Amino acid sequence: MHASQYNSNKLRIWVEEAGYRVLILTILLLAGWLSSVYGLSRYSSDVTKNSTGITAEQSSAAQTENVTVSGVVFDDRNQNGVRDAGEPGVAGVLVSNGLSFVRTGSDGSYTIELIPNHDLTIVQPSGWRVPTDERMVPQFFYIHKPEGTGYEMRFGGLPPTGPAPATINFPLTRSGAAGDDFTCIAMGDPQTYSNEQLGFLRDGVFNDLKQRGLTTSDCLIYVGDVVGDDLGLLDRLLELGAGIGAPQWLVLGNHDVDFDARSNDDKADSWRRIFGPNYYAFEQGNVLFVVLDNVFYPCTREDFERGRMNCDPSRNPSYNGRLTETQLQWLEALINETPEDRLIVLSHHIPFVSFVDATSNQHQTDELPRIYAMLEGREVLSLSGHTHTIENHAPGQVFEGWNEAVGVSSLPFRHIVVGAASGAWYQGDFNVDGVPMALQRMGAPMGYLNLEFTGTRYTERYVGSRLGEHRGQWVSLNTPEFRSWFDEIMGWWRTPAAQRGDVPPRSVHDLPDPQLLVPADFNRDGGVWLTANVWMGSVETRVHATMPDGRVLELQRTQQGEGEAARIGAEWADPFATMRQLTVARHGIISESGDEKAQGFEVFRGRQLGPTAPMPQSSISDRNMHLWRVQLPELQPGVYPIRVTSTDRNGQTYTDVITVEVRTERPPKHWRSELWR
């Protein structure tokens, strides 16, 4: 049970001694009234039935020892949260204590040992649905930390849960459960640091999702960094997300932890109080979804001695990407309990591997060979966030740095880094909806990953916020003028601030029209390249351009994923994205209101950017694993509408038309005032 589960208006007390019922109910109702008046925590270790129906009978067992609990998982046919006469138990449901599993018997009953500071959960079985609270948060767990956090935390931590109940029952319903076909949305890094940024999320990605018509048979997975360090924003975010219509399943990210935790055992205490467990699993259709916690915070001397230099004990606390030994054992036990014909989808915040952070120890996940060995022979998909990139890694792919950092020489199954709902942390200029464009590190827009499941098969499609499902790529030209412009700004940007001027050497206004060429452009300084940034592109994606005369040009992926390092610089950059990233006018917004926060704009943890001259945003797409290009042949003067089509591994296509002009000489860019003198 957690904060949202305590609701004094819906509380019911189930004890054997009927004479005590009225007295206990009166006391708890009074406690609820006091809580509402004086702002006391909504968490209560004495609650024996929460508002969504998980019931518990208290015991007086010692708080610091393992205790045995029993209960029933039942078919809540009237959905009142109470096991009424005639409501049978549900057989074969997995119940876990955070380490091991048991299955319910033919009557729905189970018995398992509870472990201090490990939560009791059930795995939502296929064909069934666990209840959700008013925030559309699934209720499938009992939070168990008898003595609580034990010290003060910024966001409250976890109050003592008290003695373990002797009996804990879990309701299920068939109503609204998923069949073989359903939709799941994977959303990475909403990462809202403020209520202003929550408004951006509401008006951007959430607005799109609320028009999708999702239901309780679908799912919405937040792949970590749900908020940006301020856990006090989580309830508002969940309330806004509830209107999307699908159950909200959350993954813990490195910006969702208690930063004042003294050990990894406590780092998710406020999260557990507000949302629920930090690792768990659920089934829908023929898919097992496994939510992992691979944010180890604060990391330890053990991590440091294994080469994770950010974990130096003499420095400020940091995190490392790894699972605890207990969680690894839990995962192996879960896999062993899962039928071999199931698709397994692993959701975790820090990627197992990443293109943009291929050489990093901290931003990829340890123990991968062990995890891969557990999953050998299974159909598996990995979903992650963290990097604010979209990366669709096909089986067999590898980049330089993976083997040295995490011991991976080839991928055994598909790994998708799902992109960020915050884009590049809500930077960039405003779009027409008043939401920052915030193009991500490899140039894709903020948005979400749409997964359509049919049995154990799935199709992936990335949807850019406020752009519609018909767009999936940017098309542009990489010209000699662009490369010179890019290099000059990036050279200035990479110079320490104290050693450079206050104004960038060039802005987007200094860049000649990139789609207006002269004959010399084709034969100087590398020529002209037609580029396509296909956001969800993978090694299986094919891209071609059709010229007006019918000629077809095949575009080639700039990164093959055959063990090479990232190719970095103007030649490998996406011109469409960088033209919007390298000059952000929002830095210069200023007023006489007297409000310091209204000058420039606020980003991470209250950091203020501006007011200054327009500046680059913090992340620039100077490398890319989903960029395709072809060198344009020399074109005679004229107008050339070029049709660029990408086709992904599932046959989904995106088409854009770019119009290229070739003139004998470049016409003047601005108003010809000399004609009016």
Side-chain angles (χ1 to χ4, degrees):
M1 288 173 281
H2 63 98
S4 70
Q5 293 175 295
Y6 186 86
N7 185 329
S8 60
N9 294 323
K10 298 180 180 179
L11 205 58
R12 298 182 184 178
I13 307 302
W14 298 90
V15 296
E16 294 299 322
E17 297 80 11
Y20 292 117
R21 290 182 184 174
V22 174
L23 175 60
I24 295 174
L25 181 58
T26 301
I27 292 171
L28 285 170
L29 287 172
L30 178 60
W33 176 79
L34 289 170
S35 175
S36 66
V37 172
Y38 294 104
L40 302 177
S41 170
R42 291 179 294 165
Y43 186 96
S44 171
S45 62
D46 296 325
V47 174
T48 58
K49 177 182 181 296
N50 66 59
S51 60
T52 54
I54 298 174
T55 60
E57 294 181 8
Q58 296 295 98
S59 77
S60 57
Q63 296 184 0
T64 58
E65 300 175 357
N66 291 5
V67 295
T68 298
V69 297
S70 300
V72 176
V73 180
F74 66 95
D75 181 358
D76 188 14
R77 291 178 173 174
N78 60 7
Q79 298 182 54
N80 68 347
V82 179
R83 191 184 183 198
D84 299 311
E87 292 185 330
V90 181
V93 179
L94 283 173
V95 183
S96 178
N97 59 9
L99 175 64
S100 59
F101 291 84
V102 297
R103 285 192 182 273
T104 56
S106 58
D107 60 352
S109 64
Y110 73 91
T111 298
I112 196 169
E113 188 176 60
L114 280 184
I115 305 170
N117 201 25
H118 288 73
D119 302 329
L120 179 70
T121 63
I122 65 169
V123 177
Q124 173 181 279
S126 294
W128 296 88
R129 183 172 65 85
V130 298
T132 53
D133 67 11
E134 68 280 1
R135 305 168 303 165
M136 291 298 288
V137 171
Q139 303 297 294
F140 59 96
F141 54 85
Y142 174 80
I143 300 297
H144 183 57
K145 193 163 187 174
E147 296 184 329
T149 304
Y151 53 92
E152 186 175 344
M153 278 186 162
R154 182 180 294 107
F155 295 108
L158 194 59
T161 63
T167 302
I168 302 176
N169 296 333
F170 294 92
L172 292 173
T173 181
R174 294 278 193 189
S175 176
D180 288 347
D181 300 349
F182 61 92
T183 300
C184 198
I185 303 300
M187 184 194 309
D189 301 80
Q191 204 165 338
T192 53
Y193 286 92
S194 65
N195 282 293
E196 177 185 52
Q197 292 182 357
L198 265 175
F200 296 151
L201 179 66
R202 176 198 63 210
D203 299 341
V205 172
F206 276 12
N207 191 311
D208 290 337
L209 288 173
K210 287 179 180 179
Q211 299 176 54
R212 287 293 314 276
L214 300 176
T215 71
T216 58
S217 64
D218 300 311
C219 58
L220 172 56
I221 302 176
Y222 296 79
V223 194
D225 282 1
V226 185
V227 294
D229 302 340
D230 186 349
L231 285 162
L233 300 173
L234 186 53
D235 263 327
R236 183 185 168 203
L237 184 148
L238 289 169
E239 184 178 348
L240 288 168
I244 293 168
Q248 302 189 92
W249 305 88
L250 273 58
V251 178
L252 183 77
N254 58 290
H255 288 283
D256 300 318
V257 303
D258 286 299
F259 283 95
D260 44 2
R262 298 174 184 172
S263 75
N264 187 70
D265 289 341
D266 303 333
K267 63 102 188 288
D269 278 5
S270 295
W271 172 273
R272 291 161 72 193
R273 190 191 81 248
I274 299 167
F275 165 73
N278 53 318
Y279 64 94
Y280 56 91
F282 64 97
E283 290 183 342
Q284 291 204 184
N286 294 292
V287 184
L288 172 71
F289 292 89
V290 183
V291 171
L292 299 173
D293 170 10
N294 65 344
V295 178
F296 194 96
Y297 175 88
C299 50
T300 63
R301 180 173 293 278
E302 176 189 352
D303 297 283
F304 178 64
E305 291 173 351
R306 295 205 330 266
R308 282 42 182 162
M309 305 312 293
N310 60 294
C311 299
D312 184 343
S314 66
R315 296 168 55 183
N316 289 332
S318 185
Y319 64 88
N320 186 33
R322 70 176 173 98
L323 278 65
T324 63
E325 178 61 30
T326 297
Q327 193 178 168
L328 285 165
Q329 293 181 34
W330 172 88
L331 176 61
E332 186 167 25
L334 175 61
I335 294 167
N336 290 337
E337 289 285 350
T338 302
E340 293 187 358
D341 61 354
R342 289 280 196 271
L343 170 65
I344 298 175
V345 177
L346 305 175
S347 299
H348 44 94
H349 179 59
I350 297 174
F352 282 173
V353 292
S354 165
F355 167 77
V356 292
D357 292 318
T359 60
S360 169
N361 294 322
Q362 180 182 19
H363 301 301
Q364 301 180 103
T365 302
D366 293 347
E367 300 282 3
L368 281 187
R370 179 176 173 185
I371 294 171
Y372 290 163
M374 295 178 192
L375 295 160
E376 187 175 0
R378 301 284 190 143
E379 291 293 324
V380 183
L381 169 65
S382 161
L383 301 175
S384 62
H386 188 59
T387 57
H388 294 249
T389 58
I390 304 171
E391 304 183 19
N392 190 351
H393 296 286
Q397 188 166 269
V398 62
F399 285 102
E400 183 178 298
W402 287 0
N403 192 45
E404 295 78 7
V406 290
V408 172
S409 58
S410 180
L411 295 185
F413 49 81
R414 188 169 300 278
H415 295 52
I416 299 179
V417 183
V418 306
S422 62
W425 299 272
Y426 301 105
Q427 297 180 65
D429 285 318
F430 290 116
N431 64 20
V432 71
D433 295 297
V435 177
M437 283 190 289
L439 298 183
Q440 299 179 54
R441 290 171 71 186
M442 293 196 295
M446 60 169 62
Y448 62 89
L449 176 65
N450 187 89
L451 293 164
E452 298 291 340
F453 289 92
T454 301
T456 59
R457 296 182 59 82
Y458 63 90
T459 58
E460 68 273 12
R461 179 191 293 269
Y462 187 82
V463 181
S465 176
R466 314 305 294 145
L467 294 172
E469 294 191 16
H470 67 286
R471 295 200 75 173
Q473 61 188 18
W474 308 131
V475 175
S476 191
L477 294 183
N478 188 318
T479 66
E481 290 285 357
F482 164 77
R483 293 190 288 276
S484 173
W485 174 85
F486 178 95
D487 285 339
E488 190 171 352
I489 297 177
M490 289 301 292
W492 174 86
W493 185 237
R494 290 175 178 139
T495 302
Q499 300 174 25
R500 70 186 188 213
D502 294 334
V503 179
R506 299 176 78 181
S507 78
V508 70
H509 288 170
D510 296 303
L511 180 64
D513 183 345
Q515 290 168 224
L516 199 161
L517 307 174
V518 296
D521 289 332
F522 295 97
N523 299 303
R524 69 180 180 93
D525 303 328
V528 177
W529 296 82
L530 174 65
T531 63
N533 185 345
V534 187
W535 312 331
M536 187 48 65
S538 68
V539 68
E540 302 100 330
T541 300
R542 297 291 177 261
V543 185
H544 70 271
T546 304
M547 303 295 289
D549 61 5
R551 283 182 296 167
V552 175
L553 306 177
E554 298 290 340
L555 281 70
Q556 301 299 316
R557 191 182 184 210
T558 58
Q559 298 277 178
Q560 291 73 40
E562 296 176 350
E564 77 278 9
R567 297 177 173 125
I568 303 171
E571 184 179 354
W572 312 103
D574 171 23
F576 184 99
T578 53
M579 283 188 284
R580 290 153 177 81
Q581 293 172 325
L582 286 174
T583 299
V584 178
R586 193 165 153 225
H587 287 86
I589 294 177
I590 192 169
S591 74
E592 295 184 350
S593 68
D595 181 357
E596 293 183 0
K597 290 294 185 180
Q599 318 309 311
F601 63 101
E602 183 184 84
V603 284
F604 331 99
R605 285 191 163 199
R607 178 186 172 193
Q608 199 75 9
L609 297 182
T612 64
M615 292 279 172
Q617 64 179 49
S618 64
S619 55
I620 307 299
S621 56
D622 62 351
R623 68 204 72 185
N624 209 312
M625 67 162 281
H626 47 72
L627 187 71
W628 277 254
R629 69 177 191 170
V630 67
Q631 190 156 26
L632 282 183
E634 185 171 351
L635 301 174
Q636 296 301 309
V639 178
Y640 298 86
I642 303 174
R643 190 176 186 86
V644 180
T645 299
S646 63
T647 305
D648 72 9
R649 69 186 189 95
N650 299 300
Q652 299 174 125
T653 63
Y654 299 101
T655 298
D656 287 273
V657 175
I658 182 171
T659 299
V660 178
E661 294 182 70
V662 181
R663 303 297 176 187
T664 54
E665 59 182 39
R666 191 177 297 277
K669 183 177 181 179
H670 300 295
W671 168 255
R672 295 186 295 168
S673 58
E674 69 276 8
L675 299 179
W676 299 85
R677 290 172 185 162

